[in-house]
Amino acid sequence: MERNTQFVGQSLAFLDAVEQAGRAAELNRPVLVVGERGTGKELVAERLHRLSPRWGEPLIVMNCAALPETLIEAELFGHEQGAFTGATRSRAGRFEEADGGTLFLDELATLSMAAQERLLRVIEYGEVTRIGASRPMTVDVRIIAATNEDLPGLAEAGRFRPDLLDRLSFEVITLPPLRARDGDVAVLADHFGRRMAAELGWPQWPGFSTDCLGALEAHAWPGNVRELRNVVERAVYRWNEPSRAVAQIVFDPFASPWQPQRPAKAGEDPQSAPVPSLAPVSNLRAAVDAHEAAIVQAALERHRFNQRATAKALGLSYDQLRHCMRKHRLGAD
């Protein structure tokens, strides 16, 4: 795999998914890749294509959520000149472009019911008819689809065609979220940190401090690997002491004392604290300390390290905040 499409991880849940993709790659059957945002669905799709007999043919990627519903069918199946307003010339669709290779349909659940019906016919008969054309053309395309939605649930609710789901789910690869990949946060953080340090021209990679690693491990990672990469690369880029281990992490780049406030929802107490997502931990005391350190660090940054303003925002006395900062080695004494 190329530098930007590497699989990095050592947890059994992650390795099982990668192995499953390797086995499915050899078969000329549809594959459905399911997972939360940022778990690597497009990387798995590329692995399925590169390890298949079609590896030398095109891999065409289409994000079904990136186009308005009125244009999705024309994008998928193509159109003839004059087929609709604005169709000034004939255009091949993604199926024709992928002929002989693989078509990756990302965000599959956003397809309209009409597009789902036409997609089902292509899978069943291997024929595509351009919009405005009278004759179909034969295509040889392997379909890989991805979603972060519960497709069986959508099918039960009448929002996704059950027959299309049956056709696409010959093999279903469900990618584990980062919070379920034991030990992979540290491995991925080191990988992304080394790459960013090299990009910045650092003479060596000093790693992360123990407190930073604890904060990374304790975070819930709703954005999964994509979020982790951004957090790590931002931390390295902002660190000005390449000879020392990176000791500051910013999880929320929007944190600022001037950040626009979200309007409170009806019936919501604007002073209530949000309930964090809880990731599995093996050391409760270390996880609590790391979470406390991350909260205080973020508050300090929001208030530009004004300790009295930070203490007031956290509901602490100045002395309590100073004690907490010393405990977690935050800022200078």
Side-chain angles (χ1 to χ4, degrees):
M1 303 292 285
E2 296 180 359
R3 183 175 186 265
N4 291 325
T5 57
Q6 293 177 338
F7 284 91
V8 179
Q10 60 185 15
S11 66
L12 291 178
F14 170 73
L15 294 178
D16 284 347
V18 173
E19 182 183 0
Q20 186 180 5
R23 292 198 307 269
E26 301 176 3
L27 300 178
N28 188 30
R29 296 289 190 280
V31 176
L32 187 58
V33 185
V34 180
E36 297 179 6
R37 62 186 176 95
T39 49
K41 295 185 290 294
E42 189 165 348
L43 291 182
V44 171
E46 182 167 347
R47 181 178 181 84
L48 286 163
H49 175 72
R50 299 301 178 197
L51 296 181
S52 76
R54 298 172 181 261
W55 65 271
E57 301 299 328
L59 169 62
I60 304 299
V61 178
M62 177 175 167
N63 187 330
C64 301
L67 293 171
E69 183 177 326
T70 53
L71 294 180
I72 284 180
E73 290 190 57
E75 191 72 19
L76 273 176
F77 310 112
H79 60 79
E80 296 293 351
Q81 183 177 358
F84 51 84
T85 302
T88 57
R89 59 184 180 85
S90 298
R91 185 183 184 284
R94 298 298 177 92
F95 271 100
E96 291 179 64
E97 294 175 355
D99 191 21
T102 303
L103 176 61
F104 174 50
L105 300 175
D106 200 6
E107 303 288 352
L108 178 73
T110 62
L111 278 182
S112 67
M113 295 300 284
Q116 291 178 34
E117 182 176 359
R118 294 196 64 180
L119 177 59
L120 177 62
R121 291 189 60 83
V122 176
I123 296 173
E124 287 185 335
Y125 303 111
E127 293 181 342
V128 170
T129 303
R130 290 185 181 181
I131 297 176
S134 57
R135 293 184 177 180
M137 61 185 73
T138 301
V139 292
D140 174 22
V141 175
R142 183 192 192 182
I143 295 177
I144 300 171
T147 184
N148 59 5
E149 299 278 356
D150 174 17
L151 289 186
L154 293 181
E156 290 181 6
R159 295 167 51 195
F160 198 86
R161 292 184 63 101
D163 45 2
L164 177 59
L165 182 59
D166 290 339
R167 288 289 186 176
L168 291 175
S169 57
F170 170 80
E171 178 65 292
V172 179
I173 300 173
T174 303
L175 300 180
L178 186 55
R179 60 183 174 274
R181 293 172 53 174
D182 292 341
D184 280 358
V185 169
V187 173
L188 286 161
D190 184 74
H191 172 74
F192 293 135
R194 287 179 183 276
R195 284 177 47 172
M196 192 63 186
E199 183 177 336
L200 294 172
W202 288 11
Q204 61 182 9
W205 167 235
F208 287 100
S209 70
T210 302
D211 288 344
C212 273
L213 281 177
L216 290 171
E217 293 279 5
H219 190 61
W221 300 113
N224 292 291
V225 179
R226 186 183 295 120
E227 180 190 2
L228 172 63
R229 176 177 177 175
N230 285 338
V231 168
V232 167
E233 291 184 347
R234 182 167 55 244
V236 176
Y237 144 75
R238 291 183 176 183
W239 189 246
N240 295 320
E241 302 179 69
S243 61
R244 291 181 55 226
V246 178
Q248 288 186 346
I249 291 285
V250 177
F251 291 102
D252 182 6
F254 294 97
S256 167
W258 304 284
Q259 180 180 0
Q261 297 298 308
R262 300 174 185 172
K265 298 179 181 178
E268 181 180 66
D269 180 3
Q271 300 300 321
S272 63
V275 178
S277 299
L278 299 179
V281 297
S282 58
N283 187 322
L284 178 60
R285 185 179 298 278
V288 170
D289 285 346
H291 190 59
E292 182 180 74
I295 291 174
V296 174
Q297 178 68 31
L300 284 165
E301 291 169 359
R302 279 197 300 273
H303 295 280
R304 301 181 65 83
F305 293 89
N306 183 317
Q307 295 177 15
R308 294 195 180 276
T310 301
K312 182 178 179 181
L314 292 175
L316 301 174
S317 69
Y318 176 75
D319 289 338
Q320 287 173 328
L321 175 66
R322 292 289 298 169
H323 172 75
C324 189
M325 291 176 63
R326 285 193 295 271
K327 173 183 174 183
H328 299 296
R329 299 185 179 88
L330 301 176
D333 288 331

